[in-house]
Amino acid sequence: MKVPNGSAKVKGRSSGETRRIKKKKRHSQNATPMNSDPSNASPDTAMAKKYYQLASRGKPSLKRLKGSARPVYSGHGQVALQRGKGTFKTGAPPQPHTNGGPELELDSSSEDSEHWSSYARSILQNGMEGSSGQEVSAGTVLGGKGEESPPYHAELDCVHNRAVLVLQQGQTLTFRGKALLTCLYGRVEVLGFTIEEGQQPYPVFSPPTHCPLTVTAMVNSLITSKTRKERRLEAKAIVRKYLSTEPRKRLQSAVDSDSCLVLLEPLDTPLTRFLTSLPEHRELFGLSAMELKSQSVALDCPLSAVGLIPLHGSSEGLVMSQSYRNALTGLVHACAEESDGCPVILVCGAKNTGKSTFNRHLINTLLNHTASVEYLECDLGQTEFTPPGCLSLSTITEPLLGAPFTHLSTPERMVFFGETSCERDLDRYLESLKFLWRSYSRDTPIIINTMGWVKGFGFQLLVDFVRLFSVTHVVQLSYGATYQCPALTPAFLRTAQGWQTRPQAPPTGAGEDLEEQVSPQSHMLLSVQSEFQGAGAVSNMRYHRSNVLRDLALLAYFSQLQSPDPGPVRPLHCFTPYQVPLSAVAVRVTHCEVAPAHVLYAANASLVGLCCLGEKVAGTGGPVLLSHTPVCQCVGFGVLRGVDVGRGLYFLVTPVAPSVLRKVNCLLLGGVTLPHTLLRAQPGIEGEQPYVTKEYSFELTGAGKMRVFKGLVRREHMGGGGH
């Protein structure tokens, strides 16, 4: 693989983006300056080891709220969604700014159902009303324009390099950066997940690649016999424990009986050290270009020393429409049902409508009450828990408090597809998903994430998903006044054509009404209108581009090679590779046809999927080449950094454990390439860098990026290609 040794050119802003920046700048002229540079934060070795022990331990405690973690289904009672009110009537088109009309009704009085019901209602109320009774919209920073004091109170303990944050009920802090967050008193919420005192510390990441996170102080629901004075003294005692004398005196005046206390400590992990060591990602946990224009640096901000940059003025955090809240409420109710089994939730919509953010918010909300949630990844380009080009089935037990590249994990099952789009081979794409679906145990809720391809064959795939996976709830996100694709109502599915599935045969009885026919796999449609700024638009900002996000996911995966202890970052060439006999593993190029004599040249210095075939591979000394792409389990990824044909060896660098590597007998090479910075940023090399050249012309035929024509021929126009 040839990598041009030069920095990529950044395209200039479009005139539309320039107008938006100027408009936003006019609106933020009166904003109170609140910003800082977290680059000076350098946590000590003890802090780094503390986080490593937290991240590397076994199954964590699943205790969420103090009322004990409740199962999804209690067996005590049943909560029923009213079909007439919980979804659109059969055959009626969805309305753009509603989600099924009024609040869903409950039909149970059991203790567990009441618990779920009250929590579902709190989703609609959360952030809508402050402690003083005044109305506060979600994501609003209290104490905004015109006020001299910041909307929060925080003090820094310079001795231990930690900060204590005080928020009153209903107050919020929207921020960029990263930190280790511990709730010391009261309870707070971050992206739907509730953190109470006594729980473990949680790492929070708020890079400019995604919507900024917001910490919201919530009303303490615990019933206590303590008076307000006793609670105030209790909170002040906690402040004395974590702060030295001078900052303690300044902060205690802001502490009340209803205050929430949050401990914030610097977060230093192999992931953050590795990513910020790369020249183009040094400001990964800083401010975006637009935020730099609208924010001012607060050099004396106490939170800057621990790695957080408070946002002020026009930065409002997550924007939730009423239909967004209604959808969350309906899905929480669905998890309380016991008659229909665990809900199968499919989330779909066009690109840039907020599907990933909604998924994370929904997962965090459900983890407040259940020990785990299953997640089926169907989006090859923007994966949540794996590098791009993979389909996976994951079990989530911990909240997702950051961008996808900050919480990569090993799935229960994974298939290496090899490309960021499925358009070349729709059948292998669906067969891979069926392979994963067979591993789903059906005893926990599952969320199915889909691509932003909602037209043509992409929409036919959505129709197949609903039928093949017996979906019970479809969350369909849209933006603007027009719909990007037809509404996936049960009535529409009765006649819709899928890629592999067909609609039911029309009724044969005289006078039978198709609209009244009961579908054997009926589902509920929840329509969500995305109302955040830029919904549906393609951003030209660097960190919002899909290729940059894919590179970050791959870089995050290979950051696992770094030592957990603080120290210098080791480049790729410093790691001793595994030696793998050519005859012990089979090789296949998945995305294009390559002559057998050229396969090893193509595989050298490339990303490969480490897969496990069902049958044994036994060669005669040379490379073993597969004639077709298998659908099999993938256990991880590696860099094939060299091939020694004379000795018959592959040289492989991978973070996968040796005990797992022993099961690998297949290397799959796809169209997903290594980030160029991984090869360019290799200090300490004498002479020319490996696999990097300056003498390469992209003017030669075949030297540039291969262009793919996406105008696929429709099935009915193919000769004998039906299923």
Side-chain angles (χ1 to χ4, degrees), residues 469-638:
F469 304 142
S470 302
V471 172
T472 61
H473 296 76
V474 174
V475 180
Q476 193 165 4
L477 290 92
S478 60
Y479 62 89
T482 60
Y483 294 103
Q484 291 72 54
C485 63
L488 288 168
T489 62
F492 178 83
L493 263 293
R494 295 193 187 103
T495 58
Q497 196 88 348
W499 175 256
Q500 285 190 353
T501 63
R502 295 289 181 270
Q504 286 184 310
T508 57
E512 188 175 357
D513 188 3
L514 180 62
E515 294 297 325
E516 296 178 356
Q517 184 181 1
V518 178
S519 174
Q521 295 182 356
S522 182
H523 65 273
M524 176 174 290
L525 175 64
L526 300 170
S527 180
V528 173
Q529 183 76 5
S530 299
E531 298 178 356
F532 59 89
Q533 184 180 4
V538 178
S539 175
N540 289 324
M541 296 180 63
R542 176 171 176 267
Y543 276 126
H544 289 182
R545 295 200 293 265
S546 57
N547 63 317
V548 175
L549 297 177
R550 286 194 286 268
D551 282 354
L552 285 172
L554 282 167
L555 293 171
Y557 181 82
F558 286 104
S559 72
Q560 299 175 76
L561 291 167
Q562 304 296 320
S563 171
D565 298 322
V569 172
R570 300 176 64 193
L572 192 63
H573 68 271
C574 289
F575 299 100
T576 303
Y578 294 99
Q579 299 182 26
V580 184
L582 268 64
S583 58
V585 294
V587 178
R588 171 68 179 173
V589 179
T590 65
H591 63 294
C592 61
E593 292 295 330
V594 178
H598 297 164
V599 169
L600 295 185
Y601 293 102
N604 193 24
S606 295
L607 177 76
V608 292
L610 310 178
C611 303
C612 304
L613 295 175
E615 61 272 14
K616 186 178 180 181
V617 175
T620 58
V624 180
L625 305 181
L626 296 177
S627 59
H628 68 281
T629 303
V631 176
C632 59
Q633 170 75 349
C634 177
V635 298
F637 305 88

Side-chain angles (χ1 to χ4, degrees), residues 180-199:
L180 196 62
L181 184 150
T182 307
C183 185
L184 301 177
Y185 193 76
R187 63 175 188 161
V188 296
E189 182 189 82
V190 183
L191 195 60
F193 185 73
T194 302
I195 306 174
E196 290 188 345
E197 56 183 285
Q199 289 184 245

Side-chain angles (χ1 to χ4, degrees), residues 6 29 49 75 144 157 253 261 266 292 330 336 363 397 429 505 507 682 715:
Q29 286 177 349
K49 288 185 176 180
D157 187 338
S253 60
L261 304 181
L292 283 171
I363 289 171
T397 59
Y429 173 74
Q682 297 191 68
R715 180 190 300 269

Side-chain angles (χ1 to χ4, degrees), residues 419 421 423-424 591 705-712:
E419 297 186 72
S421 176
E423 57 198 10
R424 292 176 183 267
H591 63 294
K705 182 179 179 181
M706 184 169 57
R707 303 294 178 182
V708 180
F709 175 65
K710 298 184 179 181
L712 299 176

